[in-house]
């Protein structure tokens, strides 16, 4: 894998954000073995539009043998709640902070979100 890209998102991750971010995410996930960390700690709201964006990024990255990590903590409960409600929480590698997400030896989401 090459360099890790960190994308920090804030505010509402909804259908409008999906429209605005889709092209950028596609570029970040289109070459080689993408290594992407999406920091969601400042996201205050996420709906199916935001979830769709994350799922698309995940599928594109997995198809290229890359790695996607999400950073979310108690400050972004709507993200975790939506992932849990849709049964997708275990589909993503989730970390409580940026340092653990960037650590190549860091465990996956099993201990990060209870």
């Amino acid at each position: 894998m090459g360099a890790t890209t960190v994308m920090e998102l804030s505010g509402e991750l909804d259908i409008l954000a999906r429209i605005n971010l889709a092209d950028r995410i596609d570029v970040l996930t289109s070459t080689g073995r993408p290594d992407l960390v999406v920091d969601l700690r400042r996201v205050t709201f996420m709906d199916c539009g935001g979830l769709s964006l994350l799922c698309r990024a995940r599928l594109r990255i997995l198809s290229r043998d890359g790695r996607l990590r999400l950073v979310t903590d108690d400050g972004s409960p709507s993200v975790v709640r939506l992932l849990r409600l849709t049964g997708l929480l275990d589909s993503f590698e989730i970390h409580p902070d940026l340092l653990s997400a960037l650590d190549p030896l860091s465990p996956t989401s099993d201990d990060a979100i209870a």
Side-chain angles (χ1 to χ4, degrees):
M1 273 195 224
T4 300
T5 301
V6 177
M7 176 181 239
E8 182 181 353
L9 301 177
S10 63
E12 297 184 357
L13 194 51
D14 56 12
I15 189 69
L16 183 60
R18 181 184 161 277
I19 292 167
N20 291 331
L21 293 171
D23 289 343
R24 180 69 182 138
I25 295 263
D26 283 355
V27 168
L28 293 174
T29 61
S30 66
T31 60
R33 295 176 63 193
D35 188 11
L36 179 62
V37 174
V38 181
D39 188 342
L40 301 167
R41 291 176 294 174
R42 295 182 55 199
V43 170
T44 57
F45 172 81
M46 185 169 85
D47 68 7
C48 61
L51 183 60
S52 171
L53 184 72
L54 294 178
C55 288
R56 178 175 170 81
R58 179 181 172 274
L59 290 174
R60 289 174 58 86
I61 287 171
L62 290 176
S63 73
R64 291 167 177 81
D65 294 322
R67 186 174 179 204
L68 171 65
R69 276 99 67 220
L70 305 181
V71 179
T72 184
D73 61 12
D74 293 339
S76 53
S78 65
V79 172
V80 174
R81 182 174 35 248
L82 185 57
L83 290 172
R84 188 172 284 129
L85 287 172
T86 58
L88 292 171
L89 188 62
D90 292 335
S91 298
F92 290 92
E93 184 179 332
I94 300 176
H95 294 269
D97 57 60
L98 192 55
L99 287 178
S100 70
L102 293 172
D103 182 354
L105 301 177
S106 178
T108 59
S109 61
D110 296 342
D111 298 321
I113 302 295

